[in-house]
């Protein structure tokens, strides 16, 4: 007997990589093996030397096919078995390892937008719906578009064993959010990539496209982000550590902005619940700051912070690497670990 393994990988498209996948039939009892693909069709290799290697890094049940079938998230290697230049996971793992003793947790809020017939789901042909105000966490056919897809995606993530922690309708019609975490930096990023693949795959069944475009509609409509909630063991027990992390993020603000997703300047305008990309700030309860300290965290004098800057199209391997590197090194230097 055999089972189906859907190999999923991240391609080399610039400036925002896309997901690819293909199926391998594997003998029962065998682990999904190392495999390969044509890198000349994914912006990862020239035609004359087109082979790239797929190395499985995270395997989970396939909730779409069911049975013994699996999803196999893979990282891309060159044929000498070194990481491909587009392999951002390979750049995260040594940083995560270096600061593993600080026990970093991440919860990422993935916002996205459904499109059908070239416009957001719920937008009328050739025009605009009523202005924003009632869509966020709304209910009813006049406010909510695509809920059956969202519910199917949530069930699929749960069946796959992903650490999905919630869903909600967003501020613009056709816009939604799911959250993954809390989990460590590598685990949260692996699971977010698989959850994104499941989103595209399930929306396909409904003939709807899901997009992570950070600003899908210009004008007075919210963009789509990937707010990244973060804590270390020290932050979960000390307010000084929370402030150290917020200050450290300010020191490296430009480096973080550069790694938080293409077209971030279009989303972080200072309007629509964002802080301007060029001015770093942090504050308690402040959804207009770059980094928010939740009010409960100030009361408890411990907990986590929310970096509100990452775009919906950000690479979670890059975002978690930057945050761990910046905050954990600062906490270490301050003697607060
Ligand atoms: P918001 O109020 O900004 O919409 P959400 O409820 O959508 O926040 O998301 C918060 C995320 O933060 C969840 O994924 C949650 O699991 C995560 N989270 C909660 N506590 C921590 C923590 N101590 N460290 C890191 N992430 C956390
Ligand atoms: Mn949220
Ligand atoms: Mn949101
Ligand atoms: Mn948030």
């Amino acid at each position: 007997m055999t089972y189906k393994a859907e190999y999923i990988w991240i391609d080399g498209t610039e400036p925002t990589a896309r997901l690819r996948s293909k199926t391998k039939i594997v003998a029962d009892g065998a682990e999904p093996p190392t495999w390969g693909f044509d890198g000349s069709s994914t912006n990862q290799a020239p035609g004359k030397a087109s082979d790239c290697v797929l190395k499985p890094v995270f395997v989970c049940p396939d909730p779409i096919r069911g049975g013994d079938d699996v999803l196999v998230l893979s990282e891309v290697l060159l044929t000498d078995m070194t990481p491909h230049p587009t392999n951002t996971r390979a750049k995260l793992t040594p940083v995560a390892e270096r600061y593993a003793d600080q026990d970093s947790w991440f919860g990422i809020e993935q916002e996205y937008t459904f499109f059908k017939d070239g416009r957001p789901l719920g937008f009328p042909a050739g025009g605009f719906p009523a202005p924003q105000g009632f869509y966020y966490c709304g209910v009813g056919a006049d406010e909510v578009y695509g809920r059956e897809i969202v519910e199917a995606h949530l069930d699929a993530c749960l069946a796959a064993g992903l650490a999905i922690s919630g869903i909600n309708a967003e501020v613009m019609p056709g816009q939604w959010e799911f959250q993954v975490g809390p989990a460590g930096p590598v685990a949260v990023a692996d699971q977010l990539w698989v959850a994104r693949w499941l989103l595209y795959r399930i929306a396909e069944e409904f003939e709807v496209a899901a997009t992570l475009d950070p600003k899908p509609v210009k004008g007075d409509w919210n963009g789509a982000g990937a707010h990244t909630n973060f804590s270390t063991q020290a932050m979960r027990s000390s307010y000084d550590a929370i402030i150290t992390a917020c200050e450290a993020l300010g020191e490296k603000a430009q480096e973080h902005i550069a790694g938080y997703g293409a077209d971030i300047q279009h989303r972080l305008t200072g309007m629509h619940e964002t802080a301007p990309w060029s001015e770093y700030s942090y504050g308690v309860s402040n959804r207009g700051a770059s980094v928010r300290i939740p009010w409960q965290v100030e009361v408890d004098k411990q907990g986590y912070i929310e970096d509100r800057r990452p775009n919906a199209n950000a690479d979670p391997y890059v975002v978690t690497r930057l945050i761990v590197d910046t905050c954990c090194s600062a906490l270490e230097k301050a003697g607060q670990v």
Side-chain angles (χ1 to χ4, degrees):
M1 277 297 290
T2 57
Y3 67 94
K4 295 174 198 157
E6 188 73 8
Y7 281 63
I8 300 168
W9 74 97
I10 299 155
D11 79 1
T13 304
E14 297 273 3
T16 302
R18 307 183 81 88
L19 283 167
R20 309 274 179 148
S21 75
K22 60 178 183 156
T23 309
K24 187 172 187 63
I25 307 302
V26 184
D28 259 349
E31 297 290 315
T34 297
W35 199 20
F37 67 97
D38 166 16
S40 72
S41 298
T42 62
N43 308 304
Q44 282 162 310
K48 282 183 196 158
S50 63
D51 286 329
C52 287
V53 174
L54 289 175
K55 183 183 157 216
V57 291
F58 173 73
V59 180
C60 65
D62 181 343
I64 295 168
R65 289 179 170 142
D68 292 333
D69 297 338
V70 292
L71 304 177
V72 183
L73 182 71
S74 301
E75 64 177 348
V76 177
L77 306 180
L78 300 167
T79 49
D80 66 2
M81 297 296 153
T82 59
H84 191 278
T86 60
N87 181 343
T88 50
R89 189 183 194 272
K91 297 185 180 82
L92 165 62
T93 47
V95 175
E97 193 65 28
R98 161 80 177 75
Y99 296 107
D101 58 328
Q102 293 196 37
D103 198 18
S104 297
W105 295 356
F106 286 89
I108 301 183
E109 306 168 47
Q110 176 70 68
E111 294 178 343
Y112 60 93
T113 311
F114 289 133
F115 268 76
K116 193 169 172 76
D117 302 324
R119 58 181 188 272
L121 204 60
F123 276 51
F128 290 91
Q132 293 183 164
F134 303 105
Y135 305 112
Y136 170 75
C137 297
V139 61
D142 53 343
E143 294 176 1
V144 165
Y145 306 91
R147 195 189 295 276
E148 68 275 35
I149 313 174
V150 174
E151 291 287 333
H153 175 251
L154 174 60
D155 285 341
C157 288
L158 290 169
L162 306 184
I164 190 160
S165 44
I167 54 172
N168 60 267
E170 270 302 338
V171 175
M172 189 182 92
Q175 206 173 54
W176 294 84
E177 169 181 316
F178 65 85
Q179 304 102 31
V180 178
V186 178
V188 82
D190 284 346
Q191 294 189 31
L192 182 57
W193 277 114
V194 172
R196 286 174 173 181
W197 185 86
L198 283 169
L199 178 66
Y200 299 133
R201 178 64 188 80
I202 286 165
E204 183 187 312
E205 302 283 316
F206 294 84
E207 294 179 33
V208 167
T211 170
L212 307 186
D213 187 330
K215 194 72 185 178
V217 184
K218 308 286 172 249
D220 207 13
W221 301 93
N222 271 35
H227 297 168
T228 300
N229 300 274
F230 169 71
S231 65
T232 65
Q233 195 166 37
M235 293 162 71
R236 292 188 292 272
S237 55
S238 136
Y239 202 69
D240 287 345
I242 295 272
I243 298 302
T244 299
C246 291
E247 292 283 340
L249 288 169
E251 298 287 318
K252 299 262 180 74
Q254 291 320 310
E255 187 187 337
H256 280 251
I257 289 289
Y260 280 3
D263 285 335
I264 196 161
Q265 292 84 350
H266 293 149
R267 175 175 148 263
L268 298 185
T269 57
M271 290 168 60
H272 305 111
E273 301 177 51
T274 70
W277 66 272
S278 54
E279 283 167 49
Y280 176 83
S281 59
Y282 68 91
V284 176
S285 232
N286 187 355
R287 283 184 161 73
S290 313
V291 171
R292 176 177 66 102
I293 301 171
W295 69 271
Q296 189 70 50
V297 173
E298 199 200 26
V299 171
D300 296 345
K301 298 293 175 210
Q302 61 184 44
Y304 65 99
I305 58 175
E306 177 192 43
D307 191 338
R308 300 176 58 79
R309 296 170 295 172
N311 264 358
N313 63 351
D315 177 347
Y317 294 130
V318 176
V319 172
T320 58
R321 172 173 57 79
L322 288 168
I323 293 175
V324 168
D325 211 0
T326 297
C327 295
C328 292
S329 63
L331 287 162
E332 201 174 78
K333 214 164 137 196
Q336 289 174 328
V337 296

